[in-house]
Every structure is written in structure tokens, then in C-alpha cells.
Amino acid sequence: MLEHGGRLLRAIEHYGIAREDWLDLSSGIAPWSFPIPEIPLRAWARLPETDDGLEQAAAGYYGVSHLLPVAGSQAAIQALPRLRPRGTVGVLSPCYAEHAEGWRRAGHHVLELSEEQLAGQLDHLDVLVVVNPNNPTGRLLPADTLLDWHQRLSRHGGWLLVDEAFMDNTPAHSIAAHSAREGLIVLRSFGKFFGLAGVRLGCVLAEPLLLRALAEELGPWSVSGPTRVLAQACFTDLASQRQQTERCAAASTRLAALLDSAGLTPAGGCDLFQYLRHDQAAAIHDFMARRGILLRLFDHPPSLRFGLPAEDADWQRLAVALDDYRKETP
């Protein structure tokens, strides 16, 4: 299995620091969770049913007519490659590594491409995968660019798969409203914006025919009853959504300024994280971890992703550690 953020238990073992003493900034998940509604016993005791209002609540939230809830967008990332004959798949990189891995495992020929390389390859691809905003760089591609790419791919029956896992904070940039177009697939993640990654929920936005094929591939009851109750409440909680959007934006701006003041100016980011490219990324990661601050380390290129601190004490602790690093580094 590929490496991901959030490996706190492994860090506890490696550095010998107790769980309660860690500040975990390794995942790009909002550090404030939405309120958990009361979940009735029937949600636990009965098999889930798809006419309980979840699909309607999610469709209203995303502004679409058709979607499929799945057990985390990861489930769709692994299943979608099985719905096409083997072909050539471009993945705009660097990005979430599970995309390339999923298509390779299904036997497709995968090309990990930069934006510059993509121009010469687009008309030869069967599928193009884009993460927007990108994880981990935060790069946000214009909707018009993505729709142009989709149009070119659709001429020869190709797919454009856009992973919008970090889009909830900036929905004006989403192409969800166009997802009914043939060959356009949009993935949305529930856990990151709502701060509830443990419930494992995502939604696939696409044309009905493709959604039916994906549902058959995944099988029945892929989303649990308690998750369906919880998610429906979150999708309709407009006040909490506004609050989350505002505090994430403020925290991300504050984090970028804090890193810049420490001489570690971010190369990118979004409202849920900041991204730092640095030749000494591994050394910075270790320096912070020895002080109980866990970051997400990437090797290619050497870089770090900083999640958002939740409380004033967390901000102060990060600021002190960054100041210590600045003082101890020539």
C-alpha cells in the first residue's frame, strides 16, 4: 500500500512521544469537525436504504442532478479503472499517488505528466486524471481549461476524471455543474472539509449511465447507515458550512504568513493546507517530529505539506518550533 499522511501511530512508535503530546498537521483535513447528529438505532440495526434523503441532500450541496455516494472517494479511485478497456491514462503530476496506482493495477499504461508535457499528449490519451486543487501543491486550474481538455478527450471517447477533494472551500471553481456531460467524472471528498474523515464518504458526479455501472461494480450497501444519517445533516447545515469556510480561509492565510516569517515561504497551498518545496524537507520533517509536530513529507520533489492548527496553543507551539529551526539553521 502507498504511504499517506495521518500515520500518527507510526510516528509515536518511531519518536517515542506519547499520543497526547503530538500536534498532527500531516493531513489536509479541517481540524474542526462538524457537529455529530443523534444517530437513531435503526441506522445501526438495519441495512442502509438509498431513499433516505442522502442523495438529494448531497445533490443540493454540490449543485448537480446525479451522483453516487461511495465509501470514500478512494473506493471510486480503485473501481473506475475497471470500467474501461485497458488504454493510456495520463495523470497530471505530482498529485495524490493513488490515482496512478489505481490505473496501473487495472492494467492501463500510465503516463505521469507535467502541464507542459500534457499539451503534446492530450489527443493520444484515453483518460486524463487531474486533482484540482492539486494535492499536495494546491495548484488550482481554471474551469475553462479543464472543460477544454474534456472536449478534446470526448472527441475520441476519452474520459476526464477530476478529483475535487479539496474544492469545498472554493466551490466557485468547481466543474461539478458540468458533470452530466458524457466522459466527465468529478470526485468529491466528504471528510476533508467537514473534518470527519473517519466516516469514509465521497461522492461521484457523472452521467447516470456511468454511475449505474460504478454502482454495480461496487455492490450494494457501500455507505453505512450511520454515515448516511451524519452526512445528510452536514450537507444541509448551512451555518456550519459558512463558519468552516471562513475559519479555514483565515487559518490558511495565517499559516502561509507564519511560514514566510520563518524563511520557509510556501510554494503553494489551498484553504486546507500550505505546501513547501525545500531541499531539506526531510531534515525539517525530522526536526519538527522530534518536537512532537507531525508534517507530511514528500520525496519527489522534496517537499512538505502543513495542515491547519486548530487552537491558539497549537499556533504558538508551531511558531516556537519554526523559530527554533530558523535559529539553528545556518
Side-chain angles (χ1 to χ4, degrees), residues 217-240:
E217 179 69 23
L218 294 172
W221 313 302
S222 64
V223 177
S224 73
T227 290
R228 295 181 69 88
V229 173
L230 183 154
Q232 186 172 340
C234 292
F235 281 136
T236 56
D237 187 348
L238 301 182
S240 293

Side-chain angles (χ1 to χ4, degrees), residues 281-293:
I284 297 171
H285 179 271
D286 183 69
F287 183 93
M288 293 294 174
R290 293 185 184 281
R291 288 153 179 78
I293 300 175

Side-chain angles (χ1 to χ4, degrees), residues 14 31 53 56 65 73 92 101 116 128 133 140 143 186 236 274 292 328:
H14 182 77
Q56 291 78 8
S65 299
S73 53
L92 198 60
E101 181 70 9
E116 293 74 22
L128 173 63
L140 183 64
V186 177
T236 56
Q274 288 295 320
E328 295 182 25

Side-chain angles (χ1 to χ4, degrees), residues 209-221:
L209 186 63
L210 190 147
L211 293 178
R212 285 195 293 272
L214 180 58
E216 291 177 4
E217 179 69 23
L218 294 172
W221 313 302

Side-chain angles (χ1 to χ4, degrees), residues 147-215:
L147 295 174
D148 177 66
W149 290 349
H150 167 256
Q151 186 178 37
R152 290 175 61 182
L153 288 161
S154 66
R155 291 171 187 162
H156 57 271
W159 284 0
L160 175 64
L161 173 59
V162 182
D163 182 346
E164 293 187 346
F166 292 93
M167 187 62 81
D168 293 60
N169 299 77
T170 53
H173 297 286
S174 173
I175 61 168
H178 304 277
S179 59
R181 298 183 183 184
E182 184 177 356
L184 180 57
I185 306 164
V186 177
L187 304 183
R188 296 296 291 260
S189 173
F190 175 82
K192 295 174 178 62
F193 175 74
F194 292 99
L196 294 167
V199 306
R200 305 307 306 132
L201 178 67
C203 287
V204 183
L205 322 180
E207 59 174 315
L209 186 63
L210 190 147
L211 293 178
R212 285 195 293 272
L214 180 58

Side-chain angles (χ1 to χ4, degrees), residues 8-316:
L8 180 58
L9 294 180
R10 189 170 67 176
I12 290 170
E13 180 180 358
H14 182 77
Y15 288 97
I17 299 173
R19 185 186 189 117
E20 60 270 19
D21 294 329
W22 281 93
L23 171 57
D24 185 4
L25 304 179
S26 66
S27 295
I29 298 167
W32 309 282
S33 299
F34 270 48
I36 305 296
E38 181 179 353
I39 298 177
L41 177 59
R42 65 177 179 273
W44 301 96
R46 295 178 57 85
L47 287 172
E49 299 187 52
T50 57
D51 56 357
D52 59 359
L54 172 61
E55 281 77 2
Q56 291 78 8
Y61 175 78
Y62 294 120
V64 299
S65 299
H66 306 285
L67 56 76
L68 176 69
V70 295
S73 53
Q74 179 63 38
I77 289 171
Q78 293 184 213
L80 284 167
R82 301 195 293 267
L83 299 184
R84 280 194 70 100
R86 293 179 180 178
T88 301
V89 178
V91 178
L92 198 60
S93 297
C95 75
Y96 182 56
E98 290 286 352
H99 283 291
E101 181 70 9
W103 289 94
R104 286 195 186 100
R105 285 179 179 173
H108 298 267
H109 176 55
V110 176
L111 301 174
E112 298 192 53
L113 304 168
S114 66
E115 284 186 56
E116 293 74 22
Q117 294 170 321
L118 178 61
Q121 294 287 342
L122 189 59
D123 294 325
H124 306 289
L125 298 177
D126 298 296
V127 179
L128 173 63
V129 180
V130 179
V131 181
N132 197 49
N134 188 45
N135 175 25
T137 69
R139 172 84 162 95
L140 183 64
L141 290 167
D144 287 347
T145 297
L146 294 171
L147 295 174
D148 177 66
W149 290 349
H150 167 256
Q151 186 178 37
R152 290 175 61 182
L153 288 161
S154 66
R155 291 171 187 162
H156 57 271
W159 284 0
L160 175 64
L161 173 59
V162 182
D163 182 346
E164 293 187 346
F166 292 93
M167 187 62 81
D168 293 60
N169 299 77
T170 53
H173 297 286
S174 173
I175 61 168
H178 304 277
S179 59
R181 298 183 183 184
E182 184 177 356
L184 180 57
I185 306 164
V186 177
L187 304 183
R188 296 296 291 260
S189 173
F190 175 82
K192 295 174 178 62
F193 175 74
F194 292 99
L196 294 167
V199 306
R200 305 307 306 132
L201 178 67
C203 287
V204 183
L205 322 180
E207 59 174 315
L209 186 63
L210 190 147
L211 293 178
R212 285 195 293 272
L214 180 58
E216 291 177 4
E217 179 69 23
L218 294 172
W221 313 302
S222 64
V223 177
S224 73
T227 290
R228 295 181 69 88
V229 173
L230 183 154
Q232 186 172 340
C234 292
F235 281 136
T236 56
D237 187 348
L238 301 182
S240 293
Q241 290 167 20
R242 286 192 294 270
Q243 181 187 34
Q244 190 81 312
T245 299
E246 292 167 2
R247 62 185 171 186
C248 285
S252 184
T253 299
R254 180 179 178 181
L255 180 58
L258 178 61
L259 292 170
D260 186 61
S261 68
L264 301 172
T265 302
C270 68
D271 283 357
L272 286 172
F273 61 80
Q274 288 295 320
Y275 174 71
L276 172 70
R277 287 190 62 169
H278 201 288
D279 290 341
Q280 298 301 313
I284 297 171
H285 179 271
D286 183 69
F287 183 93
M288 293 294 174
R290 293 185 184 281
R291 288 153 179 78
I293 300 175
L294 186 60
L295 308 176
R296 178 69 165 95
L297 175 66
F298 299 91
D299 296 325
H300 305 292
S303 52
L304 293 163
R305 189 183 64 200
F306 290 72
L308 306 179
E311 302 174 356
D312 287 341
D314 299 334
W315 284 102
Q316 182 62 27

